[in-house]
Amino acid sequence: MAEQRGQAADDPVMTRIGQIAMLQHAGDREEAQQRFAALWEEIGPHADPLHRCTLAHYMADTQQDPAEELRWDLLALEAADGLTDGSAAPAHTAPAVRGFYPSLHLNLAADYARLGRPDTARDHLREARAHVDALADDGHGHQVLGGIERLERELAAADGPAQGTPGSLGRPRAEGEAGGG
C-alpha cells in the first residue's frame, strides 16, 4: 500500500480517485458516485488496469443496489486480473496487485451473500483466504482478515437452525483502501 500511495502522488488519475474517495468517506456518496462515473467515462475501458481496478472498487462502495455493487466489484476483479496477466500491466504495479485479491474476493463474497447466493459467497471467501499471505501485517491487512472471518461466521450462522435472510448479512468491505489491497 505504501508503494501504491507513492505512485498516486505521481499519477494524476490515482490522485483524482483519491480526492473523490475523500468525498465518499466524508459522507457525500452521491457526489462521489457522480464524479467516479464521470472519471470512469473519461478513462474508458482500455485504461490502465490499476486505474480501472481502483476506480471500480471505490465505485462499488457508492452503490445502494447490491446488484450494482456486485457489477462494480466484478469489474474491479477483472481489471486486477488484467494487471497480473502481464499483457497490460506496467512492470511496477503487477506485483503489488497480488495484495488486492483478498479484499476483492471478500467484497464479492459479501455481495453474493447479500444477494442470497451463499455458495458463491463461500467460493469467494475461499479465494480471499487463498491470498491472505499477500496482506501486509498492518491495519488494512488485519481489517481484511477480520472481514473474512466475520463473513465466514455470518454464513455459518445463516446455515444454522435460525437461518438469516439473504439481505441480513453485512458488508464487511475493506473500505478506504484503493483496490481493497
Side-chain angles (χ1 to χ4, degrees), residues 2 8 16 28 37 50 59 75 83 93 112 122 134 171 173:
R16 288 174 62 194
D28 198 345
L50 178 63
M59 186 65 156
L75 286 169
L83 276 166
T93 58
Y112 284 116
R122 284 184 193 88
R171 177 78 169 150
R173 294 188 69 91

Side-chain angles (χ1 to χ4, degrees), residues 58-141:
Y58 280 118
M59 186 65 156
D61 287 342
T62 68
Q63 303 303 308
Q64 296 288 342
D65 177 8
E68 275 299 296
E69 193 167 7
L70 172 62
R71 183 175 80 81
W72 285 103
D73 281 331
L74 287 168
L75 286 169
L77 180 62
E78 178 183 305
D81 288 343
L83 276 166
T84 58
D85 73 10
S87 63
H92 64 280
T93 58
V97 77
R98 191 170 172 277
F100 293 179
Y101 282 98
S103 180
L104 292 172
H105 283 289
L106 170 60
N107 296 343
L108 286 163
D111 295 339
Y112 284 116
R114 288 180 52 210
L115 291 167
R117 296 176 58 188
D119 291 338
T120 307
R122 284 184 193 88
D123 291 343
H124 281 281
L125 281 174
R126 279 191 289 280
E127 286 295 321
R129 278 252 179 235
H131 293 90
V132 295
D133 63 320
L135 292 171
D137 187 14
D138 61 8
H140 173 69

